[in-house]
Amino acid sequence: STVQQHHLTQPWELLGQGAFAKVFKARLKGSTVAVKVQIQYDRTIVEQRVLRHLSHENIVAFRGTGYLSEDVLQFGLKNGNQFIVMEYLPDSLLQYVERRKTPERQGLTANIVWKLGSQIAHALHCLH
């Protein structure tokens, strides 16, 4: 579905950035979402086509796409930049692992490793 920039509640919080895009936390219709805004041409169009048709518990959910209708100077974003709106996941895998460390155990148990590996394998299977 198409998302208009003004439907994304400000202020946006910068979560991370790479060479081609910046990712923000914002709100859309009362839900917290992740917004990936392209800053250089990349595979955003291909990514949105793939995400749009996927539905799997271990793959981030697609919420919509759009184009910025005005500059967001605070983050160096320009009118016309394409964005993808996705499900927001508050924890990264690294944060998940770090929270499970104890003085006696500095990593994950074998059971958790197998469970995570299985979830990743099922998600990859869905992609192919």
Side-chain angles (χ1 to χ4, degrees):
S1 70
T2 301
V3 176
Q4 304 296 321
Q5 180 180 353
H6 65 273
H7 291 147
L8 297 168
T9 305
Q10 303 243 354
W12 293 2
E13 177 186 336
L14 181 64
L15 297 175
Q17 67 182 56
F20 299 105
K22 294 181 180 181
V23 179
F24 300 90
K25 183 167 101 172
R27 294 194 58 80
L28 175 67
K29 298 179 183 174
S31 296
T32 303
V33 294
V35 181
K36 180 179 181 180
V37 182
Q38 86 172 42
I39 53 177
Q40 289 186 8
Y41 177 76
D42 69 345
R43 299 178 201 160
T44 305
I45 294 171
V46 174
E47 184 178 356
Q48 72 152 3
R49 285 183 191 150
V50 170
L51 283 174
R52 180 180 305 239
H53 299 291
L54 290 177
S55 178
H56 190 277
E57 65 182 339
N58 296 316
I59 298 175
V60 66
F62 175 83
R63 300 284 187 243
T65 187
Y67 292 88
L68 295 181
S69 56
E70 57 187 56
D71 294 346
V72 183
L73 299 176
Q74 175 185 3
F75 299 112
L77 305 175
K78 299 187 189 275
N79 179 351
N81 288 114
Q82 184 178 17
F83 62 85
I84 298 174
V85 181
M86 300 170 280
E87 169 186 22
Y88 172 72
L89 301 173
D91 289 339
S92 69
L93 182 56
L94 177 61
Q95 291 167 324
Y96 177 85
V97 171
E98 290 295 320
R99 276 198 321 274
R100 278 148 185 79
K101 284 186 177 180
T102 65
E104 299 81 28
R105 185 179 66 241
Q106 292 300 304
L108 299 175
T109 65
N111 186 36
I112 293 174
V113 170
W114 280 107
K115 182 177 177 183
L116 290 173
S118 175
Q119 291 173 353
I120 292 168
H122 284 276
L124 287 172
H125 178 74
C126 179
L127 289 171
H128 296 287

